[in-house]
Amino acid sequence: MQPKRISILGVGLLGGSIGLAVKSRINDCEVVGYGHRRSTLDKAIEIGAIDRADEGLSSAVEGADLVVLCTPVGLFRPILEEISGKLAAGTVVTDVGSTKRSVVRDAGQILPPAVHFVGSHPMAGSEKRGVEYARTDLFESARCITTPTEGTDAGALETVEALWRAIGMRITRVGPEEHDRLLSEVSHLPHAVAAALVAMQTEAGSKLAGRGFLDATRIAGGDGSLWRDIFIDNRDNLLSAIGRLKDELAQVEAMLKNSDAGGLAEWLDAAAARREELAREKLRELES
Amino acid sequence: MQPKRISILGVGLLGGSIGLAVKSRINDCEVVGYGHRRSTLDKAIEIGAIDRADEGLSSAVEGADLVVLCTPVGLFRPILEEISGKLAAGTVVTDVGSTKRSVVRDAGQILPPAVHFVGSHPMAGSEKRGVEYARTDLFESARCITTPTEGTDAGALETVEALWRAIGMRITRVGPEEHDRLLSEVSHLPHAVAAALVAMQTEAGSKLAGRGFLDATRIAGGDGSLWRDIFIDNRDNLLSAIGRLKDELAQVEAMLKNSDAGGLAEWLDAAAARREELAREKLRELES
């Protein structure tokens, strides 16, 4: 069922872009925005990302069919606690967090049985932050992971996936546990490594950094507090991924120490081939 | 002094692009290409990257004022040995290798005193390989590091730097030792890490990889044998850089284990700020 009123809690880059996309793609749907900075809310209204702003959480979710949590991951639990008693039976709640185990668990514990939670992770964004960078087409052709569990309401799942599809996204369903494990591999570890590469730079080295270095570290440019929340929330998986990276680097160290040219070439060629395959797969996906 | 005949030894992406750029930017200069595959040489002639092809090293350098080594780094020493006796007094030799200590040392040992070597590292390229990807503008606005030492002939240095400037590059002078140390930080380690991130991917994880992962691992897409040569040649510096990365990751592990949210946010914000600064510096550099 198409929502008549969507409440976006947290109107930054993602929340603002969801508002813009909903306003351009869904008819007769009011978008209410909650935020703690008046200037952000004013900006969101000005660019047409929300119809109405509310600085109170409880009033912001009043009468909403669909509530989307768009704050940093670390704020999901206190927000769920605050809005829990204010949601009408049948309200659907989702989120845009980069980790999914904790929010799915917390929502299950906190929300009343008649309110339905569905975890979402729209894989779009940028190293930019703030509603001033919001774009109507941010989600166009990007992937959205939904993380239903056995207890997820089928109608709520349909409502949430229909929202993401309406704004141009392709849906992939993955369980919350698996989501967090896989994302630590393809997103959280690469972020940590990019930040580490930047952190260890000497002044003299930086001056010689080229396009390759800038590409490899682009993801380190994001909002520190957003990523802190993600790292802390997914720390078991991230620690395990760092361990596996160190194993891989230990192999490289051994080959270097032994001047194992054959082994190095094989390892490098395999990585290059796998990277090319991955790029081709992504291209095919976008074209389909 | 402007060369009348340039011999390019190895006509791949870099060698081919140098040929194209020289033909379009320097008048009255013959470009001779050496390669061991006839099909590559034919292609290089067809696209206008070289005027004349030669499958013999000795004959390819005959009468050249300027010889540019464009093969993988591991072939520099045997090539220098083979051409050494064929070069006229006053010939200038340079290279395009990503490591500089070994070629500078080898050239000093192998070439006769009247032949002048200058180490070069044009920082341009792509994960593509082969003359079919050669481009006239590959070097436009990119940086070329030259690595003169106390023994470098001043006139030869001027000739080599004039070549790079003529095809659009900005020159930075750095000693060979420092070059290899700094490049291990900003290029060789990032390459190793990108390859490691790809190598450790599970099938399920890859399916969820987004634009961030593709950007972070783009540099892993290069030619394995080229990079093997670079890694082996610069293994002391690369091992030391891997060690420093592991120290950095150990800090992250400690913060994760202690759920040190404040420390993580600070570390991530510092990296993000440094990355943004770096991107701004590079932009300013390109605009100046």
Side-chain angles (χ1 to χ4, degrees):
Chain A
M1 218 180 50
Q2 192 191 290
K4 290 290 177 197
R5 183 183 293 172
I6 297 182
S7 288
I8 296 178
L9 309 186
V11 190
L13 173 73
L14 286 180
S17 296
I18 291 173
L20 285 173
V22 164
K23 294 310 296 177
S24 91
R25 297 292 199 90
I26 303 180
N27 293 324
D28 302 320
C29 178
E30 189 192 22
V31 177
V32 180
Y34 160 82
H36 62 280
R37 254 189 246 129
R38 188 67 230 179
S39 59
T40 300
L41 294 174
D42 287 344
K43 180 79 189 164
I45 289 178
E46 188 192 318
I47 64 171
I50 58 177
D51 296 305
R52 184 158 68 72
D54 206 312
E55 287 171 88
L57 259 179
S58 306
S59 44
V61 300
E62 211 180 292
D65 318 297
L66 181 56
V67 174
V68 190
L69 309 179
C70 297
T71 64
V73 167
L75 294 176
F76 287 169
R77 190 177 171 94
I79 288 177
L80 287 168
E81 281 166 344
E82 193 166 337
I83 63 173
S84 176
K86 319 291 174 184
L87 303 170
T91 307
V92 175
V93 180
T94 190
D95 74 304
V96 300
S98 295
T99 54
K100 300 266 63 83
R101 284 176 302 177
S102 59
V103 68
V104 168
R105 184 195 57 225
D106 290 348
Q109 288 169 0
I110 295 166
L111 297 177
V115 171
H116 305 300
F117 183 82
V118 177
S120 300
H121 178 191
M123 294 182 72
S126 119
E127 62 279 19
K128 302 280 180 23
R129 53 179 126 171
V131 71
E132 57 271 36
Y133 295 105
R135 282 166 28 206
T136 306
D137 66 351
L138 187 70
F139 304 102
E140 205 66 58
S141 301
R143 183 196 306 278
C144 184
I145 304 173
T146 54
T147 60
T149 62
E150 281 189 9
T152 300
D153 181 84
L157 181 59
E158 189 34 54
T159 298
V160 167
E161 292 185 346
L163 168 76
W164 300 125
R165 272 196 218 95
I167 65 175
M169 304 196 86
R170 294 166 299 114
I171 305 288
T172 302
R173 288 185 193 170
V174 176
E177 294 281 338
E178 194 183 359
H179 171 278
D180 287 5
R181 189 166 46 75
L182 298 180
L183 267 287
S184 74
E185 248 181 50
V186 297
S187 170
H188 311 164
L189 174 67
H191 189 103
V193 166
L197 285 173
V198 173
M200 62 175 273
Q201 281 313 304
T202 58
E203 190 74 20
S206 305
K207 290 204 198 315
L208 300 185
R211 191 172 63 102
F213 187 80
L214 286 178
D215 279 358
T217 58
R218 185 184 62 77
I219 50 174
D223 182 339
S225 52
L226 275 182
W227 282 94
R228 170 209 50 202
D229 281 7
I230 294 167
F231 279 21
I232 295 270
D233 198 39
N234 203 22
R235 69 199 187 101
D236 55 343
N237 284 314
L238 181 51
L239 282 166
S240 148
I242 292 175
R244 277 174 289 137
L245 176 71
K246 290 200 303 191
D247 292 345
E248 203 67 50
L249 290 175
Q251 277 188 50
V252 180
E253 286 177 299
M255 290 188 286
L256 288 171
K257 281 173 186 157
N258 301 326
S259 292
D260 178 3
L264 276 170
E266 203 177 306
W267 183 80
L268 288 162
D269 275 331
R274 185 75 195 95
R275 169 64 181 62
E276 275 166 42
E277 194 188 322
L278 209 57
R280 273 197 307 273
E281 278 169 18
K282 295 295 148 191
L283 200 65
R284 263 200 306 274
E285 211 177 86
L286 287 176
E287 281 168 350
S288 71
Chain B
M1 218 180 50
Q2 193 191 290
K4 290 289 176 197
R5 183 183 292 172
I6 297 182
S7 288
I8 296 178
L9 310 186
V11 190
L13 173 73
L14 287 180
S17 296
I18 291 173
L20 285 174
V22 164
K23 294 309 296 177
S24 90
R25 298 291 198 91
I26 304 179
N27 293 324
D28 303 320
C29 177
E30 188 191 24
V31 178
V32 180
Y34 159 81
H36 61 280
R37 254 188 245 128
R38 188 67 231 177
S39 59
T40 299
L41 294 174
D42 288 344
K43 180 79 189 165
I45 290 177
E46 189 193 318
I47 65 172
I50 58 178
D51 297 305
R52 183 159 67 74
D54 206 312
E55 287 171 89
L57 260 179
S58 307
S59 43
V61 300
E62 211 180 294
D65 318 297
L66 181 56
V67 174
V68 190
L69 310 180
C70 297
T71 64
V73 167
L75 294 176
F76 288 170
R77 192 178 169 92
I79 288 177
L80 287 167
E81 281 165 345
E82 194 166 339
I83 64 174
S84 175
K86 319 291 175 183
L87 303 170
T91 306
V92 175
V93 180
T94 189
D95 73 305
V96 299
S98 295
T99 54
K100 299 265 63 84
R101 285 177 301 178
S102 59
V103 69
V104 168
R105 185 195 57 227
D106 290 349
Q109 289 169 0
I110 296 166
L111 297 177
V115 170
H116 305 299
F117 182 81
V118 177
S120 300
H121 178 191
M123 295 183 71
S126 121
E127 62 279 18
K128 302 280 180 20
R129 53 179 127 171
V131 72
E132 57 270 37
Y133 295 105
R135 283 166 27 207
T136 306
D137 66 351
L138 187 70
F139 304 101
E140 206 64 60
S141 302
R143 183 196 307 278
C144 184
I145 304 173
T146 54
T147 61
T149 62
E150 282 188 9
T152 300
D153 181 84
L157 180 59
E158 189 35 53
T159 298
V160 167
E161 292 185 346
L163 169 76
W164 301 125
R165 273 197 217 95
I167 66 176
M169 303 196 86
R170 293 167 298 115
I171 305 289
T172 303
R173 289 185 192 169
V174 176
E177 295 281 339
E178 194 184 359
H179 171 278
D180 286 6
R181 188 165 46 75
L182 298 179
L183 266 288
S184 75
E185 248 180 50
V186 297
S187 169
H188 311 163
L189 174 67
H191 190 103
V193 165
L197 285 173
V198 173
M200 62 175 273
Q201 281 313 305
T202 58
E203 190 74 21
S206 306
K207 289 202 199 316
L208 300 185
R211 190 172 65 101
F213 186 80
L214 286 178
D215 278 358
T217 58
R218 185 184 62 78
I219 49 174
D223 183 338
S225 52
L226 275 182
W227 282 94
R228 173 215 39 212
D229 281 7
I230 294 167
F231 279 21
I232 295 268
D233 197 39
N234 202 22
R235 68 200 188 101
D236 54 343
N237 285 313
L238 181 52
L239 281 167
S240 148
I242 292 176
R244 277 174 288 137
L245 176 71
K246 289 199 306 189
D247 292 345
E248 203 67 51
L249 290 175
Q251 278 189 50
V252 180
E253 286 176 299
M255 291 189 285
L256 288 171
K257 281 174 187 157
N258 301 325
S259 292
D260 177 3
L264 276 170
E266 202 178 308
W267 184 79
L268 288 162
D269 275 331
R274 186 75 194 94
R275 169 63 181 63
E276 275 167 44
E277 194 189 322
L278 209 57
R280 273 198 306 273
E281 278 169 18
K282 294 295 148 192
L283 201 63
R284 263 201 305 274
E285 212 177 85
L286 287 176
E287 281 168 351
S288 70

